[in-house]
Amino acid sequence: GRHSMLPRHVQRLGRDWIAHWNGSQIFASNSPVSNCMRWAGYCPWASFPLPVPVDFSANWRLSPFFGPWRQFQNSNWQLDNFVQSSCFHLPNPSMKSEGEEPLTKKRRLSGQHDTSTPEEETNFSNQKEALCLSVAQNEEKHSRKKGTVKRHWEYFCQHSRTMKIFENKETDQSNTENEAKFDFTVMSYNILSQNLLEDNSHLYKHCRQRLLIWTYRFPNILQEIKQLDADVLCLQEVQEDHYRTEIKSSLESLGYHCEYKMRTGRKPDGCAICFKTSKFSLISSNPVEFFRRDIPLLDRDNVGLVLLLQPRFHCKTNAAICIANTHLLYNPRRGDIKLTQLAMLLAEIANVAPQKDGTFCPIIICGDFNSVPGSPLYRFIKEGKLNYEGLAIGKVSGQEQFPRGQRILSIPIWPKKLGISQNCVYEIKQQQKEENAGENLEAAKADNTQEIVIASEKLSSKLQHHFKLSSVYSHYFPETGIPEVTTCHSRSAVTVDYIFYSAANDDTAAQPGAEDSFHGGLKLLGRLTLLTEKDLWTVNGLPNENNSSDHLPLLAEFRLIER
């Protein structure tokens, strides 16, 4: 016959409470029935009849069934359909709209069957505990449980003795074994400016709002910096007011000396390089502004910063290390600006890094380059050359699979009045070098001079730099070929952050083609592994409860090798 049914709004209440079917009992007879009744998952489109008395409040009236009665008759609805271990889950108690249907109803109509999971086969006492948990508490418990993804150190040298996380950093740098060696760690980290976060809120729709406020984010970022304990920090998107009021003082309390360069336009963020005063002393600090009022191409306010540091250890010669940090333009369709900004940074490094003997000191370049691995810009950094003839500006950074910027790069990319040659050095320095070595050319014949001019015209679409650079990261996991990820938000998950370094000849971690800087070099001892996009989405992407930037910190340990 006809049975009285629970109204639809009752069915939707309290997904987090569970009613357990126990043999012929629908509910335990020795406990009062919850005022939020469960409906059976085996008849997902209707509430089930109540063969036992139930104490409802006066406001809860049972209404006659108004659904498709023939479908109900044909559903073979009987007690035999229920098993002792079954648990019945109800929809979420927060009712989004009147027309929203229970999840199990959608499964039924789509041809899927409800099945009980091992987690549901628990005893009744555990279920009573579950009744006391609200939806918010369940979410918090779940996020704490899965709120972190482990990152581990990958070593390339068994004799690495200064990994900060695992070992005592008080190593004897002055003993005979390490007399000409100096181990140190470098971090590159885009910490996500609060101003940029709020201007680009569409990238963080997956995040809960409380995770996006600065007062929540900064303690997490500072804790991450403390834990990783790098000797050199290269930070991007450092907001000026936050740097002035709390970031600088917090880092100084940890033993860092901080150098900062703010962007030149309206955006109130910039780049910072901070180093442990116990490990380095500052030789020079050289900010680089990519904006040039007299050059229309350079109308963007990105900046760079180049430091020359002196290691604090006893050695035969005055060793130095050049550390550069930058954040290149984001716009995927302006590869011409990106390449010009990169050339300006390389020219400043070439101006800072030369030693007395004419060779370059070891160089480390960190930053957010807004370019993906394998792109023309990336290859130019690693290979030291790029023929950009016929190259579309939208393909320079590789950010877009189908770039919209189809305009071809002009030859040359930047005007001569920028004062930077196609070799990415300042023209004045280039002229001085040519004058020093140009006495032989003065004695050359006129026809030979003409051939040289013609050759230089043919090479005008070729960029070059003289640093032999390797990447700390390989950008793909060797076992699976899955890409590494350095940034992950609602729109994308890619690698755009890098640590490049000049490798020593005996550096087994360096990529093929890397050469010695001819004045010692850097040996990569280890790196903090990156993650896959899948790994990051298990903790709801970035930012999340524990990682308060949309970028991951990159971290590597180097050994300075003197010759």
Side-chain angles (χ1 to χ4, degrees):
R2 295 176 180 270
H3 297 278
S4 298
M5 302 296 167
L6 293 177
R8 181 178 295 182
H9 70 275
V10 177
Q11 299 173 23
R12 285 199 295 261
L13 292 176
R15 179 167 55 185
D16 294 284
W17 292 273
I18 300 172
H20 196 275
W21 191 276
N22 187 9
S24 62
Q25 286 183 302
I26 297 178
F27 298 94
S29 60
N30 61 347
S31 60
V33 177
S34 170
N35 62 353
C36 294
M37 292 298 300
R38 302 299 83 182
W39 58 281
Y42 287 86
C43 289
W45 49 269
S47 48
F48 61 90
L50 301 175
V52 294
V54 178
D55 182 22
F56 283 102
S57 65
N59 293 329
W60 286 31
R61 300 177 183 272
L62 299 180
S63 59
F65 176 72
F66 53 86
W69 178 246
R70 181 161 299 180
Q71 184 179 359
F72 178 75
Q73 284 180 317
N74 296 333
S75 66
N76 192 25
W77 199 96
Q78 54 186 346
L79 287 179
D80 293 340
N81 289 343
F82 301 97
V83 294
Q84 186 169 354
S85 62
S86 297
C87 296
F88 311 128
H89 296 271
L90 288 192
N92 196 304
S94 59
M95 292 177 284
K96 298 179 182 177
S97 65
E98 193 61 25
E100 185 174 352
E101 297 176 337
L103 179 61
T104 46
K105 176 176 179 181
K106 296 178 182 178
R107 289 201 204 102
R108 178 68 173 236
L109 296 177
S110 64
Q112 298 179 10
H113 297 284
D114 228 11
T115 57
S116 60
T117 62
E119 289 81 1
E120 294 173 332
E121 298 175 1
T122 57
N123 57 46
F124 188 69
S125 61
N126 289 338
Q127 295 174 21
K128 290 177 69 176
E129 292 180 9
L131 298 178
C132 302
L133 294 176
S134 66
V135 176
Q137 287 172 328
N138 277 332
E139 288 181 356
E140 289 293 330
K141 184 178 180 181
H142 183 72
S143 63
R144 284 195 300 269
K145 189 176 180 180
K146 300 183 69 176
T148 57
V149 177
K150 295 283 186 181
R151 297 176 65 187
H152 63 273
W153 278 97
E154 183 178 10
Y155 294 97
F156 300 102
C157 177
Q158 295 180 352
H159 302 291
S160 175
R161 302 194 303 154
T162 61
M163 300 311 293
K164 304 294 188 298
I165 293 179
F166 303 107
E167 303 184 41
N168 189 345
K169 62 182 178 181
E170 296 297 329
T171 58
D172 185 6
Q173 297 279 1
S174 61
N175 60 23
T176 304
E177 179 185 355
N178 286 337
E179 185 175 3
K181 296 176 182 177
F182 177 73
D183 296 353
F184 63 100
T185 53
V186 176
M187 176 196 290
S188 181
Y189 194 8
N190 182 327
I191 64 172
L192 181 56
S193 158
Q194 189 67 22
N195 182 270
L196 291 177
L197 183 155
E198 293 168 4
D199 287 349
N200 299 277
S201 58
H202 61 282
L203 300 178
Y204 312 106
K205 291 180 180 178
H206 62 287
C207 302
R208 282 179 285 177
Q209 286 301 309
R210 71 176 184 86
L211 305 182
L212 300 180
I213 59 175
W214 178 248
T215 52
Y216 180 91
R217 294 177 55 233
F218 178 61
N220 270 1
I221 292 170
L222 188 61
Q223 178 60 33
E224 208 164 13
I225 291 173
K226 285 181 181 178
Q227 181 182 356
L228 296 177
D229 194 27
D231 297 315
V232 180
L233 307 175
C234 291
L235 306 178
Q236 304 89 42
E237 290 193 23
V238 181
Q239 194 162 306
E240 193 275 336
D241 57 338
H242 293 156
Y243 174 78
R244 180 169 26 87
T245 58
E246 51 188 335
I247 295 176
K248 184 173 186 285
S249 58
S250 297
L251 294 178
E252 286 177 343
S253 69
L254 297 177
Y256 291 98
H257 172 85
C258 302
E259 293 290 323
Y260 178 71
K261 175 56 184 174
M262 183 179 169
R263 288 165 71 172
T264 51
R266 297 179 182 178
K267 301 294 184 183
D269 66 282
C271 295
I273 300 179
C274 313
F275 59 89
K276 289 282 185 73
T277 55
S278 60
K279 301 279 289 208
F280 298 96
S281 60
L282 180 64
I283 299 175
S284 66
S285 178
N286 309 273
V288 184
E289 296 181 357
F290 299 145
F291 175 80
R292 287 286 296 267
R293 193 178 303 275
D294 58 334
I295 299 178
L297 174 68
L298 297 174
D299 59 351
R300 309 305 166 97
D301 56 10
N302 305 83
V303 295
L305 186 60
V306 182
L307 265 56
L308 194 62
L309 300 180
Q310 176 81 48
R312 290 186 183 275
F313 76 108
H314 301 288
C315 58
K316 298 178 180 179
T317 61
N318 294 324
I321 300 173
C322 180
I323 308 285
N325 184 23
T326 191
H327 188 180
L328 299 184
L329 177 71
Y330 166 77
N331 192 337
R333 297 179 296 280
R334 294 308 304 266
D336 51 347
I337 299 178
K338 292 174 188 275
L339 282 173
T340 306
Q341 291 180 346
L342 177 60
M344 295 172 74
L345 180 72
L346 294 174
E348 185 61 30
I349 294 172
N351 189 47
V352 170
Q355 302 293 291
K356 292 180 180 180
D357 60 358
T359 62
F360 293 115
C361 71
I363 296 166
I364 297 174
I365 307 177
C366 299
D368 181 344
F369 290 82
N370 276 313
S371 301
V372 302
S375 65
L377 187 143
Y378 173 87
R379 294 200 311 269
F380 173 54
I381 295 174
K382 282 193 60 181
E383 298 172 7
K385 57 185 178 181
L386 174 67
N387 187 351
Y388 59 87
E389 183 176 5
L391 180 62
I393 61 172
K395 294 183 178 180
V396 169
S397 63
Q399 292 165 279
E400 294 181 337
Q401 188 175 2
F402 304 103
R404 287 169 284 176
Q406 297 299 327
R407 183 166 58 87
I408 303 301
L409 287 169
S410 61
I411 302 175
I413 299 174
W414 57 82
K416 190 171 180 64
K417 65 179 177 179
L418 180 60
I420 295 176
S421 72
Q422 297 285 288
N423 292 327
C424 297
V425 297
Y426 293 126
E427 290 282 8
I428 297 175
K429 294 285 183 181
Q430 179 81 4
Q431 291 173 5
Q432 289 177 350
K433 182 178 282 189
E434 289 175 355
E435 288 174 1
N436 293 336
E439 295 179 357
N440 294 332
L441 291 177
E442 292 178 1
K445 296 181 180 179
D447 55 347
N448 289 339
T449 304
Q450 186 176 1
E451 289 177 4
I452 293 171
V453 171
I454 294 172
S456 64
E457 289 177 356
K458 289 180 180 179
L459 296 175
S460 62
S461 64
K462 292 184 179 179
L463 295 180
Q464 290 182 321
H465 69 76
H466 300 294
F467 313 121
K468 311 300 181 180
L469 299 175
S470 295
S471 173
V472 164
Y473 291 91
S474 55
H475 315 310
Y476 295 90
F477 289 93
E479 303 85 3
T480 62
I482 297 175
E484 298 172 337
V485 165
T486 67
T487 180
C488 180
H489 50 65
S490 296
R491 290 287 182 89
S492 67
V494 293
T495 286
V496 294
D497 307 277
Y498 304 93
I499 301 177
F500 297 104
Y501 69 104
S502 53
N505 276 338
D506 58 350
D507 185 7
T508 56
Q511 285 82 4
E515 299 177 20
D516 201 335
S517 61
F518 303 107
H519 190 81
L522 295 172
K523 184 179 182 65
L524 180 61
L525 301 182
R527 63 191 177 196
L528 187 63
T529 57
L530 289 169
L531 301 171
T532 66
E533 179 180 2
K534 183 179 179 180
D535 291 333
L536 287 172
W537 281 118
T538 63
V539 290
N540 199 38
L542 296 172
N544 56 50
E545 292 262 352
N546 299 290
N547 308 100
S548 286
S549 173
D550 58 349
H551 292 248
L552 292 173
L554 281 60
L555 183 63
E557 185 182 28
F558 298 101
R559 172 167 293 167
L560 175 63
I561 299 175
E562 281 204 296
R563 300 298 186 201

